[in-house]
Amino acid sequence: MKNIRNFCIIAHIDHGKSTLADRLLQTTGTIADRDMQAQALDDMDIERERGITIKSHAIQMNYTYEGQDYILNLIDTPGHVDFSYEVSRSIAACEGALLIVDATQGIEAQTISNLYLAIEHDLEIIPILNKMDLDSAMPEEVSDQIIDLIGCKLEDIIPASGKTGLGVNEILKAVIERVPAPKGDEDAPLQAMIFDSVFNSFRGIIAYYRILNGTLNKGQKVKFFNTGKSYNADEIGVLKMDLLPKNSVKAGDVGYIISGIKQANEVKVGDTITGTDNPCLAAVKGFEDVKPMVFAGIYPVDTEDYEELRYSMEKLQLNDSSLVFEPESSAALGFGFRCGFLGMLHMEIIQERLEREFNMTVITTVPNVSYHAFLNKNPDVQMIVNNPSELPDPGTMARIEEPYIKAQVITKSEYVGSIMTLCIEKRGEISNQVYLTQDRVELTFEMPLAEIVFDFYDRLKTVSRGYASFDYHPIGYKESDLIKMDLLLNAEQVDALSALVHRNNAFDLGKRICLKLKELIPRQQFEIPIQAAIGAKIIARETIKALRKDVTAKCYGGDISRKRKLLEKQKVGKKRMRQVGRVEVPQEAFLAVLKLND
């Protein structure tokens, strides 16, 4: 065990984690040069296309240092705030972390939040200054920022470049010398924590675990703490580029287990594996259950695909345990699921993965957050409202509370004014402003989560020309003056477009949504009114004009009464058509509501 090192890579988005991981794999000979490709650990098409890591990836490397053979278990983690749950799980399985900072950009908001996660778990932090090969690198300035942040010495910071391979041997040396070897007892009862799982259509569910105590042998009968079910360890082994079978995996190591499990709900990330003959007494304290931030309805385009969508979502949940969903139905869209996501990017990725990996074409409703409503009759009992259609009648409600977040924005000082304007427009209140260096400012806001759900991140990047970095965490619920705004198409309510909005924003938002829908809904044979309403009061209206046939074309000359008679006849027909006509809302209309400022 003294020759095992478990460590992960943490950094802000786009600071070069995956590129540096590629160089580590090449240097240790884990991947042959001919098999090498950029982002070697990222196995999803979406990750390669977007150049981001969505899922953390574990891999084992062998390295000889000063005549001794070492086993290095590396976990590459995502950098985006929406996937911080993946980071927290990876950190729980490690003793050390490489903190990577881009020498051209310096410390960003997500770097700080991931660092705090690692410090809470008592990890050994190795600071690395990446992208040193670029002309725009500012090593002295960024080194000072790192020293201020974690209180290390200048010589502890390793200059590196994922592109050229500079500093890779120093990183491996630092991992071996600075990261502590795992603690644990090989002879104690088996105690292993599951930190990830994937679904394989041939082998069933493959669970990845970190053994804290004991030894896991091939063919051994094991039990999962959470579900209480027992299985045979049909195949166990370690994680190389492919799965490498072994006869036993010992304490301190990271490995996988295949036991023929086919049901998605039987494996829970964070669960403990133990032996049935000599079980451990307590489950491992892993990580808390994830709390979704953003809710949206996902519905199949064809109602008959409902069961297939459920099956696809369960498979996806195995791969991404931060996705939560429950069945719901909508008057406009039929049967579907109410899904909880960690943020807007997470929602976008799930939708794209459903389409690519499972061929499911889905409709996504307007995302919102969960609110707490309190009724007049017993004001102490809170009612959780995930969907605007569940909101009780305003007359029976004592108050409604919405979730608030603490947002940290790190930006260049020249953009402070425009970012403050944006945050105040989104009902934010500034609570702190700190100058990290002469031209880098950290702004702290308290603002409602519902306001950042739509387009906040995109607009923040726009006003700061891409320089501002953003991170947030929930701080609880606060009372707000919220009202439900409905959208009516041809006097029929479209519940998928209903939203809970602040009273002051309702008129402006209602008007903008009506204008947007007017552009997107195709014209029909009859006139379609689009209305935004609060209760029975209409606050905004736009009208899509009817496509009209020229019925008077055949009347050339003659009395005007003949033309009038034909126009009256047409008018009656249009009126009748409007009473029975149904308006189909295109999928772009649901998504366009999110991009009202474009």
Side-chain angles (χ1 to χ4, degrees):
M1 254 172 68
K2 68 180 196 304
N3 286 9
I4 296 177
R5 299 287 183 272
N6 298 319
F7 67 101
C8 60
I9 299 185
I10 55 175
H12 186 78
I13 193 166
D14 200 28
H15 276 207
K17 296 177 294 302
S18 300
T19 316
L20 200 63
D22 291 350
R23 293 295 83 74
L24 292 171
L25 295 175
Q26 257 183 316
T27 308
T28 55
T30 311
I31 301 185
D33 285 348
R34 62 182 181 166
D35 298 330
M36 192 63 207
Q37 53 176 343
Q39 285 178 267
L41 288 178
D42 295 345
D43 46 17
M44 276 189 267
D45 294 343
I46 308 177
E47 292 181 313
R48 294 187 181 288
E49 281 169 25
R50 294 179 175 230
I52 57 174
T53 303
I54 292 167
K55 197 165 167 39
S56 51
H57 300 273
I59 190 161
Q60 190 176 90
M61 306 182 289
N62 295 74
Y63 187 63
T64 306
Y65 174 65
E66 293 184 352
Q68 293 244 17
D69 289 339
Y70 287 89
I71 293 173
L72 309 177
N73 290 312
L74 155 73
I75 304 179
D76 180 24
T77 63
H80 196 279
V81 62
D82 281 11
F83 305 111
S84 52
Y85 181 56
E86 291 279 338
V87 181
S88 75
R89 296 191 336 220
S90 308
I91 284 173
C94 295
E95 279 86 25
L98 304 182
L99 178 75
I100 295 181
V101 180
D102 186 335
T104 64
Q105 295 179 44
I107 300 258
E108 307 263 4
Q110 196 57 29
T111 317
I112 296 172
S113 102
N114 284 343
L115 174 70
Y116 288 155
L117 271 177
I119 290 171
E120 273 171 37
H121 281 79
D122 250 5
L123 263 60
E124 176 65 36
I125 309 288
I126 300 174
I128 294 167
L129 207 51
N130 198 17
K131 304 195 184 179
M132 288 292 284
D133 57 313
L134 296 179
D135 296 338
S136 55
M138 310 174 287
E140 294 86 5
E141 196 178 314
V142 180
S143 297
D144 290 345
Q145 291 177 20
I146 296 173
I147 292 166
D148 286 349
L149 183 66
I150 59 175
C152 62
K153 299 189 184 76
L154 183 62
E155 53 270 22
D156 292 343
I157 302 170
I158 302 171
S161 164
K163 197 171 176 184
T164 62
L166 165 79
V168 171
N169 288 319
E170 286 75 15
I171 293 170
L172 290 166
K173 178 183 167 191
V175 167
I176 290 165
E177 290 180 354
R178 294 195 222 167
V179 175
K183 298 178 179 68
D185 183 357
E186 288 181 13
D187 304 319
L190 173 66
Q191 189 185 35
M193 179 186 74
I194 300 176
F195 66 86
D196 206 352
S197 62
V198 291
F199 182 78
N200 181 309
S201 45
F202 303 108
R203 316 288 304 270
I205 289 159
I206 305 172
Y208 298 160
Y209 54 80
R210 153 80 198 274
I211 299 187
L212 300 171
N213 291 305
T215 305
L216 176 61
N217 297 309
K218 185 176 178 177
Q220 184 179 347
K221 206 164 176 57
V222 294
K223 185 176 89 171
F224 286 31
F225 248 83
N226 236 331
T227 57
K229 295 194 175 180
S230 300
Y231 308 97
N232 284 324
D234 298 336
E235 186 185 305
I236 60 167
V238 293
L239 305 155
K240 293 282 192 179
M241 277 313 281
D242 296 313
L243 304 177
L244 180 69
K246 291 255 177 139
N247 287 327
S248 68
V249 182
K250 297 186 173 166
D253 218 340
V254 173
Y256 73 90
I257 177 169
I258 300 175
S259 48
I261 305 171
K262 291 281 190 281
Q263 292 301 317
N265 55 6
E266 289 180 29
V267 175
K268 190 169 171 25
V269 169
D271 201 352
T272 303
I273 306 175
T274 187
T276 48
D277 47 353
N278 181 15
C280 60
L281 300 174
V284 184
K285 287 270 186 292
F287 21 83
E288 312 88 55
D289 266 350
V290 61
K291 291 185 178 65
M293 293 284 193
V294 173
F295 292 87
I298 286 188
Y299 293 86
V301 170
D302 192 343
T303 329
E304 291 164 7
D305 294 340
Y306 173 71
E307 279 305 322
E308 184 135 343
L309 180 60
R310 177 197 290 277
Y311 176 76
S312 307
M313 300 274 271
E314 283 174 356
K315 294 284 177 289
L316 202 53
Q317 195 176 31
L318 262 180
N319 223 322
D320 180 356
S321 50
S322 51
L323 168 69
V324 291
F325 62 90
E326 57 186 40
E328 74 163 0
S329 62
S330 143
L333 301 166
F335 289 102
F337 295 96
R338 184 102 200 125
C339 303
F341 306 99
L342 299 182
M344 289 297 284
L345 178 67
H346 187 212
M347 179 179 128
E348 208 179 302
I349 295 292
I350 292 289
Q351 196 179 339
E352 204 164 321
R353 285 184 70 184
L354 279 171
E355 287 182 10
R356 287 184 186 209
E357 294 170 30
F358 303 98
N359 290 329
M360 294 299 305
T361 322
V362 293
I363 291 174
T364 311
T365 64
V366 178
N368 59 354
V369 297
S370 62
Y371 300 89
H372 289 169
F374 296 86
L375 301 177
N376 285 324
K377 54 185 179 192
N378 46 357
D380 299 331
V381 181
Q382 71 178 32
M383 184 179 153
I384 296 173
V385 179
N386 285 334
N387 196 336
S389 59
E390 297 168 8
L391 192 72
D393 180 42
T396 63
M397 250 185 339
R399 67 183 193 282
I400 183 165
E401 294 181 350
E402 65 176 328
Y404 266 68
I405 56 160
K406 189 172 194 172
Q408 284 172 306
V409 176
I410 296 180
T411 180
K412 289 195 164 183
S413 49
E414 63 199 87
Y415 304 118
V416 169
S418 49
I419 289 173
M420 279 191 182
T421 310
L422 172 65
C423 290
I424 290 162
E425 183 191 318
K426 296 280 186 186
R427 296 193 284 137
E429 289 175 11
I430 187 161
S431 56
N432 201 356
Q433 180 178 351
V434 182
Y435 274 81
L436 302 172
T437 63
Q438 280 186 337
D439 69 335
R440 283 172 72 77
V441 190
E442 181 184 20
L443 302 168
T444 310
F445 293 92
E446 285 186 10
M447 62 199 299
L449 178 62
E451 293 289 344
I452 70 156
V453 162
F454 288 134
D455 55 355
F456 178 78
Y457 193 65
D458 296 343
R459 287 187 61 196
L460 178 71
K461 287 288 179 198
T462 308
V463 298
S464 66
R465 296 189 192 165
Y467 277 109
S469 65
F470 173 66
D471 181 46
Y472 63 88
H473 58 268
I475 52 169
Y477 282 73
K478 292 186 184 178
E479 190 177 336
S480 271
D481 185 11
L482 298 170
I483 46 175
K484 181 183 169 201
M485 185 176 76
D486 293 315
L487 273 155
L488 309 173
L489 276 182
N490 199 15
E492 273 186 42
Q493 188 184 327
V494 184
D495 59 350
L497 289 170
S498 295
L500 279 176
V501 295
H502 196 269
R503 195 180 294 275
N504 299 347
N505 299 347
F507 289 92
D508 178 45
L509 191 68
K511 183 73 180 163
R512 278 163 44 202
I513 292 178
C514 287
L515 281 167
K516 198 77 175 175
L517 291 177
K518 184 181 177 182
E519 289 171 26
L520 291 163
I521 293 174
R523 287 171 71 185
Q524 308 288 333
Q525 294 285 337
F526 53 94
E527 192 176 84
I528 307 169
I530 304 171
Q531 296 164 311
I534 296 171
K537 183 183 177 190
I538 304 292
I539 57 168
R541 171 177 170 140
E542 291 293 327
T543 308
I544 299 174
K545 293 291 181 206
L547 287 167
R548 296 175 69 99
K549 182 182 170 191
D550 187 2
V551 288
T552 60
K554 59 187 176 194
C555 303
Y556 40 91
D559 189 15
I560 186 68
S561 59
R562 286 179 64 199
K563 287 187 178 178
R564 198 160 288 149
K565 188 174 153 191
L566 287 168
L567 288 168
E568 286 299 324
K569 193 174 166 189
Q570 184 187 37
K571 198 171 169 185
V572 172
K574 295 275 182 208
K575 197 172 179 182
R576 193 165 62 243
M577 202 186 279
R578 185 171 155 190
Q579 285 166 354
V580 294
R582 292 293 308 275
V583 183
E584 286 290 321
V585 183
Q587 166 71 2
E588 302 88 73
F590 291 112
L591 299 176
V593 179
L594 314 182
K595 302 190 172 94
L596 285 174
N597 286 298
D598 291 3

